[in-house]
């Protein structure tokens, strides 16, 4: 059952990348939400797991309901659901600013839920009750499905300055808030989950400022680094009777390969050259510097706080 659900998860992600229709992308996102619910709730004899699966499902429903409104509202305006057609329409569209803002905010709500952005961020924390293999996928790739749709719809969002400002504000708030919450966590997996929300917030900032190439690069590098972090901390969870950070420590001598893997993941996440995260954040900062220097400051703060959070986690698991 578990591997069948994992295959459903992976099939949904592949379908989303191959799909060029907003309507069918919405349907595929629903399949992924169902996959999340079933995978998180796999150990259904534990009450905490059942609660986590239910909360994850219901939190995503909120964003998806608004997304569905946006999907149906844009069709009479654009006459198409194809991403290419929407992009071509958005270049010459003359839409009422209020209408453009309402449709844009509706379409923004879906990726907000999928990318675990404030205030729809709590489901990712709850989803940590699921097994490690599904956590690897969820923390690295499934959260990026919302960002993928966000990037595809960037020309439509650009019709309303209000929507772009909202996107940047939500991204900045989640990026700083997520890293601060991560520092306070004592569960191995939950400490990682909040850094995922934070980095998805940076992607929201990138799309809101029109930096779609930097956003795509950030999705790729974040996925690789986060998957490595979850796998290396997952081997610690597997081999210990607890995943409470305060009860671990000194495991470097017993698990050196896991420790090295964790450090490589940290380096990839916190923009240390020559790893991918450095080039992705450099490209984003380069694009922001001329028109949005304040956002470069937020980028540096988030990066510094993430580095602190990750080294704290490394110290509590592997060091003394």
């Amino acid at each position: 059952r578990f591997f069948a659900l994992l295959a459903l998860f992976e099939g949904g992600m592949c379908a989303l990348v191959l799909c060029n229709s907003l309507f069918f992308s919405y349907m595929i996102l629903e399949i992924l939400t169902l996959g999340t619910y079933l995978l998180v709730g796999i150990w259904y004899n534990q009450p905490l797991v059942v609660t986590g699966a239910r909360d994850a499902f219901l939190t995503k429903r909120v964003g998806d309901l608004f997304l569905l409104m946006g999907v149906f509202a844009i069709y009479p305006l654009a006459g198409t659901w194809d991403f290419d057609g929407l992009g071509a329409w958005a270049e010459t569209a003359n839409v009422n600013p209020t209408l453009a803002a309402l449709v844009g905010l509706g379409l923004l709500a879906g990726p907000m839920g999928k990318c675990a952005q404030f205030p729809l961020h709590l489901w990712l924390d709850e989803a940590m009750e699921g097994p490690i293999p599904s956590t690897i996928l969820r923390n690295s790739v499934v959260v990026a499905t919302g960002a993928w749709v966000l990037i595809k719809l960037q020309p439509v969002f650009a019709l309303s300055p209000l929507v772009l400002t909202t996107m940047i504000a939500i991204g900045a708030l989640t990026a700083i808030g997520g890293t601060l919450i991560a520092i306070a966590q004592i569960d191995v997996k939950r400490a990682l989950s909040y850094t995922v929300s934070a980095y998805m917030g940076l992607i929201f900032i990138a799309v809101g400022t029109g930096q779609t190439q930097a956003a795509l690069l950030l999705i790729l590098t974040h996925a690789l680094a986060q998957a490595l972090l979850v796998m290396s901390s997952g081997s610690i969870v597997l081999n210990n009777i607890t995943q409470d950070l305060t009860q671990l420590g000194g495991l470097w001598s017993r698990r050196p390969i896991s420790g090295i893997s964790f450090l490589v993941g940290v380096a990839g996440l916190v923009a240390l050259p020559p790893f991918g995260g450095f080039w992705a954040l450099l490209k984003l900062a380069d694009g922001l510097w001329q028109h949005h220097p304040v956002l470069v400051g937020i980028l540096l703060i988030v990066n510094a706080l993430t580095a602190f959070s990750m080294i704290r986690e490394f110290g509590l698991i592997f060091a003394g």
Side-chain angles (χ1 to χ4, degrees):
R1 185 164 65 98
F2 175 70
F3 286 104
L5 292 174
L6 216 52
L8 174 75
F9 225 29
E10 292 174 5
M13 288 185 290
C14 293
L16 187 71
V17 173
L18 296 170
C19 177
N20 191 38
S21 161
L22 175 60
F23 181 74
F24 284 108
S25 292
Y26 174 81
M27 303 301 283
I28 293 161
L29 287 174
E30 293 309 293
I31 291 170
L32 286 169
T33 305
L34 176 67
T36 299
Y37 171 73
L38 294 170
L39 279 165
V40 174
I42 196 96
W43 292 312
Y44 52 78
N45 58 341
Q46 297 177 26
L48 201 61
V49 168
V50 174
T51 311
R54 186 194 63 208
D55 290 355
F57 191 72
L58 292 176
T59 308
K60 283 188 174 187
R61 289 279 66 71
V62 175
D64 289 347
L65 189 62
F66 286 105
L67 176 61
L68 187 61
M69 291 181 197
V71 169
F72 283 132
I74 202 166
Y75 190 80
L77 297 172
T80 181
W81 271 320
D82 279 4
F83 288 122
D84 298 336
L86 287 171
W89 165 76
E91 285 176 13
T92 55
N94 185 17
V95 189
N96 180 299
T98 311
L99 187 60
L102 288 172
V103 172
L105 289 171
L107 292 170
L108 181 62
M112 267 176 68
K114 290 283 176 287
C115 294
Q117 297 297 290
F118 186 83
L120 303 176
H121 63 294
L122 292 171
W123 72 266
L124 193 61
D125 182 17
E126 301 276 7
M128 293 303 105
E129 296 298 337
I132 291 278
S134 64
T135 305
I136 296 167
L137 275 180
R138 196 177 305 105
N139 268 16
S140 56
V141 194
V142 176
V143 284
T145 56
W148 176 258
V149 173
L150 195 75
I151 291 167
K152 290 278 197 178
L153 288 173
Q154 203 275 333
V156 177
F157 293 131
L159 291 172
S160 170
L162 174 68
V163 175
L164 293 179
T165 308
T166 306
M167 198 188 299
I168 294 167
I170 289 167
L173 185 66
T174 311
I176 293 174
T179 43
L180 289 171
I181 296 170
I183 292 168
Q185 295 303 304
I186 58 166
D187 182 279
V188 172
K189 288 166 75 180
R190 287 178 194 230
L192 288 174
S193 80
Y194 282 105
T195 60
V196 175
S197 291
Y199 271 72
M200 290 300 118
L202 296 183
I203 291 169
F204 266 61
I205 290 172
V207 178
T209 53
Q211 307 284 322
T212 48
Q213 291 297 317
L216 282 168
L217 191 58
L218 198 55
I219 285 175
L220 174 67
T221 56
H222 169 265
L224 294 170
Q226 194 69 40
L228 190 55
L229 285 166
V230 178
M231 282 191 278
S232 50
S233 57
S235 70
I236 298 300
V237 172
L238 188 69
N239 289 303
N240 287 278
I241 57 168
T242 181
Q243 52 192 69
D244 186 333
L245 286 168
T246 58
Q247 294 176 10
L248 298 170
L251 290 177
W252 179 271
S253 58
R254 303 298 178 96
R255 295 277 177 274
I257 304 298
S258 295
I260 292 166
S261 302
F262 194 91
L263 284 178
V264 173
V266 171
L269 197 64
V270 301
L272 273 179
F275 295 94
F278 171 74
W279 303 108
L281 289 173
L282 182 67
K283 188 174 179 66
L284 178 55
D286 201 33
L288 292 174
W289 181 249
Q290 201 163 359
H291 301 293
H292 308 278
V294 175
L295 293 176
V296 178
I298 289 174
L299 206 65
L300 294 172
I301 290 167
V302 169
N303 199 38
L305 287 172
T306 305
F308 177 78
S309 171
M310 290 289 100
I311 294 302
R312 165 188 170 268
E313 196 169 341
F314 176 82
L316 288 172
I317 297 172
F318 296 100

